[in-house]
């Protein structure tokens, strides 16, 4: 009779941080009767072993036959796994270990912890066979890859939760206790205190500690090894050295396995399990910054073709990047799947249909060193840069007109880190191409609020190549792009205007109507910003026939918007409202992001007429549209607008906070506040400042300035929603049913018309009436047809005339 084995769990020397939820989830899964094998899967250093031991400690007392721990990390022969399990349990070393083990386990209630299974995956079937007749036995396996046997359940061990990016300004107002309770930070601080007693998280070192945790992706072993350096390096010094070499991340306990003493050794150990093709793919994937798509991997690490659409900006005869010794692109997905199985590559969530992946920074650093050993870094970096240049150019049609599809902007958002690294690479190796690449991104930089990054990317190659070597239209677009971005900032506005005036002559000479027309429109906008509205309208009149000839409807919508702005500046509010409504009420495919600008302007017109509730509704609609379509570059001005209507509604302290948030966020996104809107914002700000002490105003401003972009937008929307709802409650009156029959509308259509007249969007109408958004759109279309009008503004006039709503004060 074999006795029950005594507990042989390794004794941890440190406490486990940030894993309580995982322990509870794993214990619950093990107690369930639907699987015999639960595999903890994750990359080297993520803490699988430590987590498995903690689970075993939690369950030991509830299992009549206890827990058995088997360390397989030094084993490479799969045939020895079952004998090793049998030997650890105490079974005699005889032939037929599998049958002996199966017989022994058949009537046991025991937990087997098998640690480090990734080198002996072929033993998974034999283990499963031994457990088949043992309903009371569970195997808790740690492995960098799943066993892929029947009945196995996998539990992915994620890195520790990370702190946000923290600036020195953020740290001054951050809650130390809250940041210190974030698991990655908590682990760093705990291990740093072991290395340097007295170490503490402070407002001063918080940004560096957060940066270390983020750089190391929350991987516990990496954080522990980094924190161990606190005996000689401050967090600030440590964060500056992390990128140089993985050798810094060594120095774990001498009695720990080699792979736990240095992160390089841990990754090298896993790397040795890869096939030659998997290793080659991993090395080439190190060229990516952040996440990457399957298509990008197939073209950069594989031989999928990289091509540019027909363009007047890019030489169609340019040679493709070298394609020798590349992986067959059709093999890349299966190889990627293998790397994901080995936990060297992570799948990431994506709103796109195409899967996306990423490497942890430490693994990327390791693979980059391997790529350099292959002497393949330059070729891979060139393919990376060429691929992303092609993505940037894909928004420009053959005639040189941009087609700013939301999908294009969203794809570039996902790859922003890759864009930056590709631009940096080309600025150093091929500045002429780098300048063309940067200019192709001008509208992305503008719309997404990366304007300073755009200027830096365009200026960096200047003076390092002869512009005459570029195609004439590429050279013109470079000046057009840089001029438009420079002109946004007061300190560089004159330089930007000089670029635009020079490129206008180039474009006229080249006969490019769209380029010349849009440059005139840019000059109109800059003149408008200075309050010279008549001159701005003259520029627009000159641009209009050129843009009409091209037939670019979103740009024509932008023309109408700027005409409306200048009329607003001149005090012609009715004409401005008519033009702006004509932009705000058309489908997005016809007006694009100009819908947000026009709706914002309609709010300004209502504000000018002291219709506070109506102004709030328009601003809220503009903000919702901007956030939905990520028009970050100009949406921050809506926080100024929210501050202004909040001041007018009487909540002066909230207004001061909003102005503080607006000031900081407008600076960060490169969004200058100009005429004619700035007059209204300044008046509101002066009113708020005059009603309280200087100290209180400054305190509230500082509180607003400490907000993140998301916090600023959320506060603005909450303020606008409150004012809009209050106004709606005041304006709604019982409908005059005598008018219903003459209008020819059903009762439901009358309800919809009243809500449209209050300024609600189709989506909001649907939500309010508990109907689908599509049904709401259909109702609105039918109402406009029955009333014989072409816009929501005109329908609102009918509703007011027929006393379906009361006048808004």
């Amino acid at each position: 009779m074999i006795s029950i084995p005594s507990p042989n769990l390794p004794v941890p020397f440190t406490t486990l941080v940030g894993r309580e939820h995982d322990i509870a989830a794993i214990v619950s899964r093990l107690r369930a009767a639907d699987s015999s094998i639960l595999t903890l899967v994750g990359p080297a250093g993520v803490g699988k072993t430590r987590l498995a031991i903690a689970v075993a400690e939690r369950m030991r007392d509830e299992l009549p036959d206890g827990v058995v721990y088997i360390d397989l990390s030094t084993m490479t022969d799969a045939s020895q796994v079952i004998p090793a399990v049998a030997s650890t349990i105490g079974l005699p070393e005889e032939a037929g270990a599998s049958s002996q083990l199966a017989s022994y386990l058949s009537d046991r209630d025991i937990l087997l912890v098998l640690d480090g299974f990734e080198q002996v995956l072929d033993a998974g079937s034999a283990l499963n066979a031994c457990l088949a007749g043992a309903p009371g036995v569970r195997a808790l396996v740690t492995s960098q890859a799943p066993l892929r046997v029947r009945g196995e359940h996998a539990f992915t061990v994620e890195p520790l939760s990370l702190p946000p990016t923290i600036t020195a300004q953020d740290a001054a107002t951050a809650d130390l206790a809250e940041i210190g309770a974030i698991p990655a930070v908590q682990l760093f601080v705990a291990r740093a205190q072991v290395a340097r007693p007295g170490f503490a998280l402070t407002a001063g070192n918080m940004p560096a500690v957060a940066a270390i945790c983020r750089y190391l992706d929350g991987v516990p072993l990496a954080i522990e090894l980094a924190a161990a350096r606190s005996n000689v390096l401050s967090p600030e010094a440590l964060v500056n050295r992390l990128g140089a070499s993985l050798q810094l991340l060594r120095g774990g306990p001498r009695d720990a396995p080699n792979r736990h003493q240095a992160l390089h050794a841990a990754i090298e150990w896993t790397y040795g399990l890869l096939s030659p093709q998997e290793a080659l793919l991993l090395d080439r994937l190190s060229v990516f910054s952040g996440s990457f798509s399957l298509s990008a991997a197939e073209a950069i690490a594989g031989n999928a073709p990289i091509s540019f659409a027909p363009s007047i900006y890019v030489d169609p005869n340019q040679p493709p990047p070298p394609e020798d010794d590349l992986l067959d692109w059709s093999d890349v997905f299966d190889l990627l799947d293998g790397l994901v199985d080995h936990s060297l590559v992570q799948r990431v969530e994506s709103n796109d249909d195409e899967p996306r992946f990423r490497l942890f920074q430490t693994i990327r650093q390791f693979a980059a060193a391997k790529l350099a050993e292959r002497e393949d870094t330059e070729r891979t970096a060139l393919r990376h840069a060429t691929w992303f240049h092609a993505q940037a150019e894909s928004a420009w049609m053959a005639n040189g007109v941009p087609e700013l599809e939301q999908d294009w902007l969203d794809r570039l958002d996902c790859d922003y880190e890759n864009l930056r690294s590709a631009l940096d690479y080309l600025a150093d190796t091929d500045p002429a191409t780098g300048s063309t690449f940067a200019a192709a991104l001008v509208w992305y930089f503008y719309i997404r609020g990366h304007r300073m990054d755009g200027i830096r990317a365009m200026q960096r190659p200047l003076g390092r190549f002869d512009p005459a070597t570029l195609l004439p239209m590429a050279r013109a677009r470079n000046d057009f792009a840089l001029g438009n971005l420079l002109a946004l900032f007061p300190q560089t506005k004159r330089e930007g205007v000089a670029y635009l005036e020079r490129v206008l002559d180039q474009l006229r000479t080249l006969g490019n109507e769209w380029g010349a027309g849009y440059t005139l429109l840019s000059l109109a906008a800059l003149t408008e910003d200075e309050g010279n509205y008549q001159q701005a309208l003259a520029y627009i009149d000159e641009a209009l026939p050129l843009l009409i000839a091209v037939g670019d409807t979103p740009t024509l919508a932008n023309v109408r918007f700027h005409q409306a702005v200048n009329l607003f500046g001149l005090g012609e509010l009715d004409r401005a409202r008519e033009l702006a409504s004509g932009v705000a009420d058309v489908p997005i495919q016809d007006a694009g992001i100009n819908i947000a600008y026009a709706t914002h302007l309609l709010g300004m017109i209502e504000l000018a007429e002291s219709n506070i509730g109506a102004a709030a509704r328009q601003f809220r609609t503009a903000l919702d549209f901007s956030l939905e379509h990520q028009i970050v570059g100009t949406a921050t001005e809506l926080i100024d607008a929210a501050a202004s209507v909040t001041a007018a509604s009487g909540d002066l302290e909230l207004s001061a906070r909003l102005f503080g948030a607006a000031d900081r966020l407008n600076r960060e996104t490169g969004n200058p506040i100009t005429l004619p809107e700035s007059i209204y914002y300044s008046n509101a700000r002066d009113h708020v400042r005059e009603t309280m002490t200087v100290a209180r105003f400054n305190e509230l401003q500082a509180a607003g300035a400490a907000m993140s972009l998301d916090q600023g937008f959320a506060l603005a929307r909450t303020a606008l929603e409150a004012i809009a709802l209050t106004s709606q409650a005041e304006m709604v009156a019982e409908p005059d049913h005598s008018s219903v029959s003459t209008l020819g509308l059903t009762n439901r259509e009358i309800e919809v018309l009243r809500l449209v007249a209050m300024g609600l969007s189709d989506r909001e109408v649907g939500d309010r009436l508990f109907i689908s958004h599509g049904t709401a759109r259909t109702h609105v279309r039918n109402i406009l047809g029955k009333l014989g009008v072409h816009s929501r503004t005109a329908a609102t006039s009918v509703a007011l005339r027929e006393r379906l709503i009361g006048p808004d004060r």
Side-chain angles (χ1 to χ4, degrees):
M1 179 74 178
I2 303 298
S3 61
I4 297 173
S6 60
N8 65 337
L9 286 175
V11 178
F13 293 102
T14 57
T15 57
L16 189 62
V17 173
R19 294 298 194 187
E20 190 56 41
H21 177 76
D22 287 339
I23 293 170
I26 295 166
V27 168
S28 176
R29 295 271 288 272
L30 287 170
R31 286 172 178 160
D34 59 346
S35 69
S36 56
I37 299 176
L38 178 62
T39 306
L40 306 186
V41 180
V46 81
K48 302 181 295 295
T49 297
R50 186 67 184 82
L51 182 57
I53 292 171
V55 169
E57 289 173 334
R58 179 73 59 87
M59 296 188 69
R60 178 161 46 191
D61 292 341
E62 68 183 70
L63 297 166
D65 298 318
V67 172
V68 175
Y69 173 85
I70 305 100
D71 183 2
L72 304 175
S73 62
T74 60
M75 190 174 293
T76 57
D77 185 351
S79 67
Q80 295 303 308
V81 170
I82 299 304
V85 176
S87 175
T88 304
I89 285 177
L91 295 172
E93 296 183 11
E94 300 173 358
S98 294
S99 59
Q100 284 192 70
L101 181 60
S103 175
Y104 172 79
L105 295 176
S106 62
D107 59 352
R108 302 290 177 180
D109 195 350
I110 194 169
L111 175 67
L112 302 177
V113 180
L114 297 102
D115 188 21
F117 214 99
E118 55 269 5
Q119 293 192 114
V120 288
L121 290 174
D122 289 343
S125 297
L127 174 65
N128 209 21
C130 291
L131 301 177
V137 179
R138 296 288 180 268
L140 179 60
V141 176
T142 73
S143 176
Q144 293 181 29
L147 278 57
R148 295 197 181 280
V149 295
R150 286 177 297 177
E152 176 195 27
H153 285 191
F155 183 96
T156 300
V157 181
E158 301 287 352
L160 296 175
S161 299
L162 292 170
T165 300
I166 299 175
T167 65
Q169 184 178 15
D170 296 330
T173 57
D175 186 327
L176 264 177
E178 181 180 333
I179 298 298
I182 295 171
V185 176
Q186 187 180 355
L187 178 64
F188 181 90
V189 172
R191 301 302 184 259
Q193 288 171 342
V194 173
R196 192 174 82 197
F199 179 89
L201 183 69
T202 66
N205 65 28
M206 186 192 300
V209 171
I212 291 167
C213 295
R214 293 182 64 82
Y215 182 86
L216 298 175
D217 296 299
V219 175
L221 177 60
I223 292 173
E224 290 188 344
L225 294 173
R229 297 297 188 179
S230 296
N231 61 334
V232 291
L233 294 174
S234 68
E236 293 78 8
L238 183 57
V239 76
N240 291 328
R241 290 171 177 262
L242 277 177
S245 172
L246 281 178
Q247 297 306 313
L248 187 68
L249 300 178
R250 60 189 308 121
R254 287 191 176 93
D255 56 351
N258 287 339
R259 68 185 191 277
H260 291 169
Q261 293 184 35
L263 192 62
H264 185 280
I267 300 172
E268 183 80 63
W269 187 69
T270 311
Y271 188 79
L273 304 177
L274 302 179
S275 71
Q277 282 197 316
E278 286 174 331
L280 177 58
L281 177 58
L282 180 68
D283 297 348
R284 287 179 175 157
L285 294 178
S286 68
V287 75
F288 289 105
S289 298
S291 68
F292 55 90
S293 66
L294 175 60
S295 297
E298 290 170 337
I300 294 166
N303 60 4
I306 301 175
S307 59
F308 289 82
S311 172
I312 58 178
Y313 303 114
V314 179
D315 183 356
N317 298 315
Q318 63 178 326
E323 297 182 357
D324 53 301
D325 298 324
L326 291 170
L327 295 165
D328 190 300
W329 71 268
S330 62
D331 293 334
V332 168
F333 178 75
D334 286 337
L335 294 171
L336 253 177
D337 196 41
L339 293 176
V340 170
D341 263 1
H342 282 95
S343 301
L344 289 166
V345 173
Q346 280 68 48
R347 287 191 179 92
V348 296
E349 293 298 323
S350 171
N351 294 327
D352 197 357
D353 292 335
E354 187 174 22
R356 292 189 70 84
F357 306 87
R358 72 184 288 262
L359 277 65
F360 287 147
Q361 182 62 30
T362 47
I363 295 173
R364 177 175 179 258
Q365 198 172 335
F366 174 92
K370 293 291 187 182
L371 187 66
E373 290 175 10
R374 295 178 187 271
E375 298 184 347
D376 200 23
T377 301
E378 287 303 312
R379 191 268 297 274
T380 307
L382 176 58
R383 290 188 69 82
H384 176 272
T386 306
W387 163 266
F388 285 106
H389 183 191
Q391 305 315 299
E393 294 287 357
S394 67
W396 297 81
M397 295 186 289
N399 63 355
V401 177
E403 191 173 32
L404 302 181
E405 297 288 347
Q406 187 69 33
D407 286 348
W408 179 75
L409 294 166
D410 290 344
R411 285 198 308 273
L412 296 187
D413 278 341
C414 292
D415 279 311
Y416 189 55
E417 292 179 63
N418 284 305
L419 293 173
R420 293 178 65 172
S421 63
L423 287 165
D424 287 344
Y425 171 79
L426 288 175
D428 290 334
T429 60
D430 185 0
T433 301
S435 69
T436 304
F437 181 6
L441 293 167
V442 58
W443 296 124
Y444 173 75
F445 289 134
Y446 180 86
I447 294 168
R448 292 302 203 235
H450 301 303
R451 297 164 183 188
M452 289 302 300
D453 281 353
I455 290 173
R456 284 190 289 268
M458 291 176 203
Q459 287 183 328
R460 184 172 172 183
L462 294 182
R464 305 174 68 181
F465 69 97
D466 181 1
T469 61
L470 297 177
L471 293 175
M473 277 305 304
R475 182 176 180 179
R477 186 179 64 176
N478 284 3
D479 288 348
F480 170 87
L482 185 54
N484 269 289
L485 292 185
L486 286 172
L488 293 171
F489 299 91
Q491 63 271 32
T492 56
K493 183 172 184 177
R494 182 175 298 178
E495 184 182 2
V497 170
Y499 269 102
L500 292 174
E501 290 174 343
R502 182 168 67 246
V503 79
L504 179 59
D505 292 336
Q506 296 176 38
L507 290 165
R508 282 172 166 159
T509 301
L510 292 168
N512 188 280
E513 292 177 318
W514 181 88
Y518 206 101
T519 303
L520 285 165
L521 184 58
S522 295
L523 291 169
L526 295 169
T527 307
E528 158 198 312
D529 293 344
E530 296 172 345
N532 193 345
Y533 306 121
Q534 293 291 2
Q535 178 59 50
L537 288 170
Y539 274 129
I540 291 173
D541 289 343
E542 190 178 353
L544 196 53
L546 298 173
L547 295 171
I548 288 174
V550 177
D552 177 19
T553 52
T555 300
L556 291 173
N558 193 240
V559 171
R560 292 195 297 276
F561 161 70
H562 280 290
Q563 286 176 319
V565 171
N566 285 284
L567 291 169
F568 174 60
L570 292 169
E572 298 185 37
L573 302 189
D574 288 340
R575 290 183 62 197
R577 181 184 283 110
E578 182 180 0
L579 279 169
S581 297
V583 176
D585 291 344
V586 300
I588 188 170
Q589 61 266 28
D590 293 332
I593 62 176
N594 296 292
I595 292 173
Y597 305 157
T599 308
H600 184 172
L601 178 59
L602 289 171
M604 295 304 304
I605 293 169
E606 298 292 355
L607 183 62
E609 294 182 333
S610 299
N611 298 327
I612 305 307
R617 287 191 293 278
Q618 295 286 9
F619 292 146
R620 182 197 58 193
T621 301
L623 181 56
D624 287 347
F625 183 95
S626 297
L627 296 182
E628 179 182 355
H629 297 281
Q630 298 181 61
I631 312 171
V632 178
T634 51
T636 48
E637 186 177 332
L638 284 158
I639 304 177
D640 285 287
S644 299
V645 293
T646 302
S649 70
D651 193 340
L652 304 181
E653 294 212 339
L654 176 56
S655 177
R657 289 177 63 205
L658 285 165
F659 275 126
D663 290 345
R664 175 191 171 189
L665 299 173
N666 280 317
R667 282 195 305 272
E668 289 188 356
T669 58
N671 184 36
I673 305 303
T674 55
L675 293 169
E677 298 92 343
S678 60
I679 295 172
Y680 296 90
Y681 305 151
S682 295
N683 289 343
R685 186 191 299 264
D686 290 344
H687 171 62
V688 173
R689 185 186 291 112
E690 290 165 2
T691 60
M692 60 185 70
T693 66
V694 172
R696 182 58 177 160
F697 181 78
N698 291 340
E699 178 187 354
L700 292 166
Q701 286 263 98
M707 291 182 183
S708 67
L709 192 64
D710 289 341
Q711 289 171 331
F713 284 143
L715 185 64
R717 197 192 188 287
T718 299
L720 293 170
E721 180 76 10
I723 297 169
L725 288 175
T726 300
S727 173
Q728 286 172 16
E730 294 172 352
M731 73 185 286
V732 174
E734 287 299 315
D736 182 352
H737 292 286
S738 64
S739 67
V740 174
S741 59
T742 58
L743 291 176
L745 303 181
T746 65
N747 288 336
R748 172 62 88 183
E749 287 170 342
I750 288 293
E751 289 181 284
V752 172
L753 177 57
R754 293 173 68 197
L755 295 174
V756 167
M758 293 179 206
L760 273 67
S761 66
D762 293 346
R763 178 180 296 273
E764 291 169 323
V765 169
D767 292 343
R768 186 67 61 85
L769 297 179
F770 302 102
I771 59 178
S772 74
H773 303 151
T775 300
R777 280 195 299 273
T778 300
H779 279 311
V780 173
R781 186 166 59 247
N782 291 342
I783 290 166
L784 297 181
K786 288 182 178 181
L787 297 181
V789 297
H790 301 288
S791 72
R792 300 165 75 96
T793 303
T796 299
S797 297
V798 174
L800 285 166
R801 185 189 68 218
E802 300 293 339
R803 292 183 293 162
L804 297 179
I805 59 172
D808 173 26
R809 291 305 304 158

